[in-house]
Amino acid sequence: MSIDKGMTLISRIEKYKLMVAVRTDTPEKAYKSAEACIEGGVRFIEITFTVPEAEGVIKKLSKDKRVAIGAGTVLSIRDAKKALKAGAEYIVSPNVDEKVIKFTKKEGAVSIPGACTPSEIYNAHSAGGDIIKLFPFVQMGGLDFLKEIRGPLPFIKYMLAGGLNLDNIQKYLAVQPSCFLVSSSIMKRELVMAEDWAGITAIAKKFVEKINKHIANLS
């Protein structure tokens, strides 16, 4: 099933919640891992720029109408240019770089910078960040931190990056962030090493089903 192109990308991200970050040691594994997640129903895949030949993987995956592809670990305008040229629809970073944020926005893509402190979070938002990635989420205080930061900064859209798994997903859903970024909870190292793509698909499907059930209960 193709994703709903009638909605804005940000609206779609907020509706479906789940984004998977793909970080592997070869482009082949990155593509196969991403494909496995897509088969499980994941609609947003981030290919990190730590993957060799990341832009080639992005270009190949961007042809799949079931998914919106983004680039992760983007640390420079140079990499942002490569990613967008390859077909990335959103740029995700672990840090706040105003030049990367503003370039991304100028090019018409969605900007998701990473931040860790109140000042970083506000600066990322002020620079034009559409959704602010709280990273590393668990180490910075997790759900307790989110509760506190929403007091003075309730108008910011938050992505929770880290700590989400099938056991605590209901707690994460209950706080209603814009979205989650998941990697190792779905892209389990042993499954990637064994090239067990069906195993990754099965886990991804469980995440998607739990999120969809939560969304259905709200409607």
Side-chain angles (χ1 to χ4, degrees), residues 89-152:
E89 297 185 58
Y90 47 94
I91 299 296
V92 186
S93 301
N95 63 323
V96 180
D97 186 322
E98 290 190 14
K99 291 180 180 178
V100 171
I101 295 169
K102 290 177 179 178
F103 172 78
T104 300
K105 297 300 295 174
K106 181 172 72 74
E107 294 299 311
V110 169
S111 172
I112 308 178
C116 188
T117 67
S119 293
E120 287 180 350
I121 292 165
Y122 185 73
N123 289 342
H125 171 77
S126 297
D130 295 295
I131 300 172
I132 309 306
K133 181 176 78 167
L134 298 183
F135 173 78
F137 185 59
V138 173
Q139 289 80 358
M140 64 200 286
L143 297 175
D144 288 337
F145 178 86
L146 177 65
K147 180 181 178 181
E148 292 300 322
I149 202 66
R150 271 182 167 165

Side-chain angles (χ1 to χ4, degrees), residues 18-22 37 42 44-46 180-183 186-187:
L18 180 64
M19 184 182 295
V20 176
V22 174
C37 290
V42 175
F44 302 94
I45 299 286
E46 168 200 322
F180 315 109
L181 183 65
V182 174
S183 185
I186 293 177
M187 297 262 305

Side-chain angles (χ1 to χ4, degrees), residues 153-219:
L153 302 173
F155 49 85
I156 292 176
K157 297 179 186 295
Y158 295 103
M159 168 190 274
L160 311 186
L164 179 69
N165 55 53
L166 287 170
D167 293 327
N168 64 15
I169 191 169
Q170 293 301 331
K171 289 182 179 179
Y172 274 62
L173 286 165
V175 299
Q176 299 183 319
S178 288
C179 55
F180 315 109
L181 183 65
V182 174
S183 185
S184 59
S185 291
I186 293 177
M187 297 262 305
K188 293 189 178 293
R189 186 171 180 270
E190 63 271 21
L191 296 180
V192 175
M193 288 181 66
E195 300 187 8
D196 183 357
W197 313 126
I200 291 174
T201 295
I203 298 172
K205 188 175 182 180
K206 289 179 182 178
F207 272 85
V208 171
E209 286 175 346
K210 286 203 171 191
I211 292 170
N212 287 346
K213 183 177 180 181
H214 176 82
I215 293 169
N217 288 338
L218 292 178
S219 60

